[in-house]
Amino acid sequence: MARRNVGSRGDGKRIIRVFCEGESEQAYTEFLKKEFRNVAVINYPKETGLFERAEDRFNKDPQYRDYKDVIDEVWFFYDVETKDIDKLNERYRIIKKLRKLRSDKDICVRLLMTSGCIEYWLMLHFKKCTPSLKTVEEKNKMIQDLKKEEHLYVKGNKEITANIAKNYPRAIKNAKSIMKNLLYDGMPCLDDNDLRNEWLQRKCVTFSNVYEAIEFLEKL
């Protein structure tokens, strides 16, 4: 587990708020919350929801609205699917708004994206693969393939998800290799920025960049 000297503000820890698409993303976030508790305060709402949920929380919820000046990062943890391409403009409107919530500096908005279903990111904890994940049948097959690796897997189960997540060093290695290969398919760059992230969401290629959030936590 990554460690860092603590100080006065927030015990020297990064304050991170995570908005999750589903219970499976929440289960993985719970693992990160515990694994990196010495360097970050990671919290997420009990209910699921992404960009509109975040905008609503920061507009109306005192626990978010009144503490925006101490929040360092806002994360969105979700699947990339073709059905959501038309939502990109609205999502980036909200992202730009969230970045400017703090009075002293920009909040970092980080997108934790996985093609098709989170089970692909979980599969990368076992092996490297790049199947198509655009149809319901392809996504269901990925879930079944994951169950061959972890027989007890159930979506949203925190204990089982944590057992898988412990292998995150392997997932990081596999996901980074896959992302690097996307440069040959026209991905603008490897850097985490709006240009690259919009390309990933519009092309709906097979990838997961969840590893970038973990690498960030490891460096704290």
Side-chain angles (χ1 to χ4, degrees):
M1 182 189 301
R3 298 182 185 277
R4 176 188 179 190
N5 292 330
V6 297
S8 57
R9 177 181 168 274
D11 290 330
K13 301 176 183 180
R14 296 296 176 93
I15 309 299
I16 302 168
R17 296 294 178 264
V18 187
F19 294 88
C20 299
E21 182 173 20
E23 293 181 354
S24 297
E25 287 83 1
Q26 288 181 331
Y28 201 94
T29 301
E30 184 67 23
F31 167 79
L32 296 178
K33 177 179 179 177
K34 294 177 180 178
E35 181 74 4
F36 294 96
R37 61 188 178 275
N38 286 343
V39 295
V41 178
I42 300 174
N43 285 312
Y44 55 93
K46 292 182 180 180
E47 73 278 6
T48 57
L50 293 170
F51 299 89
E52 292 79 8
R53 175 74 67 190
E55 185 175 39
D56 186 67
R57 281 274 178 156
F58 280 103
N59 282 339
K60 301 176 182 178
D61 188 339
Q63 293 298 317
Y64 286 75
R65 183 191 63 214
D66 296 346
Y67 292 90
K68 61 181 182 294
D69 278 334
V70 299
I71 294 175
D72 296 297
E73 303 215 353
V74 174
W75 295 1
F76 294 98
F77 198 169
Y78 62 103
D79 304 330
V80 171
E81 302 179 84
T82 54
K83 66 179 179 63
D84 294 326
I85 291 176
D86 291 341
K87 301 177 183 178
L88 287 179
N89 288 339
E90 176 63 11
R91 288 180 171 183
Y92 274 102
R93 179 192 68 78
I94 295 172
I95 287 171
K96 292 175 182 178
K97 180 178 178 180
L98 294 176
R99 286 172 177 159
K100 298 299 181 181
L101 287 177
R102 282 187 66 151
S103 58
D104 57 340
K105 65 176 183 179
D106 283 0
I107 291 176
C108 176
V109 177
R110 197 179 297 273
L111 307 181
L112 284 63
M113 304 178 288
T114 300
S115 299
C117 57
I118 191 177
E119 284 76 18
Y120 174 61
W121 164 245
L122 298 179
M123 178 61 82
L124 293 177
H125 291 65
F126 297 100
K127 63 182 181 181
K128 180 181 175 182
C129 58
T130 54
S132 175
L133 292 164
K134 294 180 180 179
T135 68
V136 173
E137 292 75 17
E138 289 168 343
K139 296 169 192 175
N140 286 338
K141 185 178 185 301
M142 175 54 63
I143 294 173
Q144 295 307 312
D145 288 346
L146 179 62
K147 288 182 177 180
K148 294 176 184 177
E149 304 292 339
E150 173 50 77
H151 303 301
L152 299 177
Y153 177 72
V154 177
K155 289 181 75 69
N157 184 289
K158 292 180 180 179
E159 182 178 357
I160 297 171
T161 300
N163 286 336
I164 297 172
K166 291 175 183 177
N167 295 321
Y168 68 79
R170 181 182 299 173
I172 290 174
K173 180 180 179 181
N174 289 334
K176 287 183 73 171
S177 175
I178 292 166
M179 283 284 283
K180 186 175 181 180
N181 287 336
L182 289 177
L183 291 170
Y184 299 104
D185 294 328
M187 186 172 70
C189 61
L190 279 173
D191 295 337
D192 180 5
N193 59 39
D194 289 348
L195 180 65
R196 184 206 69 173
N197 291 340
E198 184 170 353
W199 185 91
L200 288 168
Q201 292 175 93
R202 290 192 181 279
K203 295 296 183 180
C204 293
V205 290
T206 301
F207 78 100
S208 179
N209 75 326
V210 177
Y211 72 90
E212 293 174 332
I214 300 177
E215 288 189 323
F216 164 75
L217 293 170
E218 287 183 315
K219 294 174 182 178
L220 293 178

